Amino acid sequence: MGIVMNIGQAADASGVSAKMIRHYESIGLVPQADRRDSGYRDYDPEDVHRLSFVRRARDLGFPLERIRVLLGLWGDPTRSSAEVKALALTHIEELEEKARHLQEMADVLRGLADACDGDGRPHCPIIEGLEARSVPASSPSGERPISRSSSTRLPSRRSPSPGRR
Amino acid sequence: MGIVMNIGQAADASGVSAKMIRHYESIGLVPQADRRDSGYRDYDPEDVHRLSFVRRARDLGFPLERIRVLLGLWGDPTRSSAEVKALALTHIEELEEKARHLQEMADVLRGLADACDGDGRPHCPIIEGLEARSVPASSPSGERPISRSSSTRLPSRRSPSPGRR
DNA sequence: TGCGCGCCTTCCCATCATGGGAAGGTCAAT
DNA sequence: ATTGACCTTCCCATGATGGGAAGGCGCGCA
């Protein structure tokens, strides 16, 4: 009856690619679309509205799992704005943490680059900086795992054997 | 003859996990390690030095493909520091661009969060902000693809048919 | 000699969000 | 009826990393 669009039109209207709309449906982020007899998906304005919501949340960097929660709050008339705000603040923290981390890396590198003449000669503080001392950068959430505890396992120089290289 | 380590020791010494060392070797980022008769990989101090170099470059956010180039410059006595500097500056630009993008998203969201009471009531400017106007954010390199040109294909309200929902 | 534990090997799968492309069916206008 | 744009599903790729399985190796200790 009402205005009905196929996936391409819904994609254009919402800003979410058809590929992604299908994907969001497959992971249950958005409900399964109605189908025409032909198998084509059908979208009405409400569907498009929801997709636009997802699109804007993605534009703000929300990961899909958090958007799943946001969609739940969106459609829940009994939600408290406190829940939404808490979710948003958590996300803001993560965004700023990542931004800080990136900027920190850029700053360290800028320091090395500033010390580099950038001429035709091979001497280069940047290369030396990579070769030598560890980067002080206080890594963010994505903390470096430290591979494994060294502990017991030690050097063990191999006695005269097949020789290497 | 010299000091020889197996992959776990090289991992501890370089800060690159054994898993990653094997991966770097598989994609040709680092040369194939020597093997003992048993099949175990062998690493000498030079190998560990190279792995440490990779590790520091990763810590500074260099993608592996750029590290591949860096390793080439590192081992090239005829390199010009200008080449290295250019690579570094390009990378710095990218890092700052990403940092800006993240911070921009955080700022927009902060604006919405500031307007949200965060109390027990459902009214929430954050949800409304996601629902309504598009986020002005000037996206960085990772530009939003715009799904597809709308062009010809238009609405086409389906005339009285099998009815939906 | 043999046991056992911790290391090594390869191989496959998962992450996160997105896109590319193939093979084949549908729709609407000519 | 033909054509071209659209739709369908399915598989694969990205980038860097990790998890885990199945089976072999190394070495200390009884």
Side-chain angles (χ1 to χ4, degrees), chain B residues 53-81:
Chain B
F53 181 94
V54 172
R55 164 66 200 266
R56 297 203 184 89
R58 288 292 304 130
D59 282 347
L60 288 178
F62 282 96
L64 296 187
E65 283 317 302
R66 237 196 282 275
I67 293 177
R68 196 188 290 276
V69 179
L70 280 174
L71 282 170
L73 292 172
W74 185 40
D76 176 7
T78 74
R79 75 177 175 246
S80 67
S81 62

Side-chain angles (χ1 to χ4, degrees), chain A:
Chain A
M1 284 282 159
I3 295 175
V4 161
M5 329 169 102
N6 58 32
I7 202 171
Q9 294 161 345
D12 287 349
S14 68
V16 177
S17 73
K19 209 96 186 183
M20 280 300 100
I21 293 177
R22 294 193 194 95
H23 178 59
Y24 292 163
E25 179 182 315
S26 81
I27 63 173
L29 183 68
V30 298
Q32 296 208 306
D34 285 349
R35 300 287 187 137
R36 297 188 188 180
D37 294 344
S38 66
Y40 279 26
R41 287 174 178 78
D42 260 358
Y43 296 87
D44 64 21
E46 185 190 327
D47 294 324
V48 171
H49 191 200
R50 180 172 27 239
L51 287 170
S52 299
F53 181 96
V54 172
R55 164 65 199 265
R56 297 202 184 88
R58 289 292 302 129
D59 282 348
L60 288 178
F62 282 96
L64 296 186
E65 282 318 300
R66 237 196 280 276
I67 293 177
R68 195 188 291 277
V69 179
L70 280 173
L71 282 170
L73 292 171
W74 184 41
D76 176 8
T78 75
R79 70 166 180 256
S80 67
S81 63
E83 292 177 89
V84 182
K85 188 165 184 173
L87 201 60
L89 290 178
T90 296
H91 185 53
I92 289 171
E93 286 305 309
E94 293 180 9
L95 289 171
E96 298 193 324
E97 173 90 346
K98 286 181 193 160
R100 253 179 272 126
H101 185 211
L102 290 171
Q103 191 56 55
E104 204 170 339
M105 295 191 293
D107 290 344
V108 171
L109 207 42
R110 180 78 73 183
L112 294 177
D114 283 349
C116 177
D117 292 334
D119 54 22
R121 290 170 301 175
H123 169 68
C124 180
I126 299 171
I127 288 288
E128 284 164 21
L130 287 170
E131 240 178 317
R133 68 207 128 294
S134 67
V135 179
S138 66
S139 48
S141 53
E143 186 70 50
R144 196 60 67 166
I146 315 182
S147 78
R148 195 184 311 115
S149 65
S150 29
S151 68
T152 41
R153 178 164 41 72
L154 266 190
S156 86
R157 39 174 81 231
R158 271 193 312 148
S159 39
S161 54
R164 22 181 293 98
R165 297 221 193 289

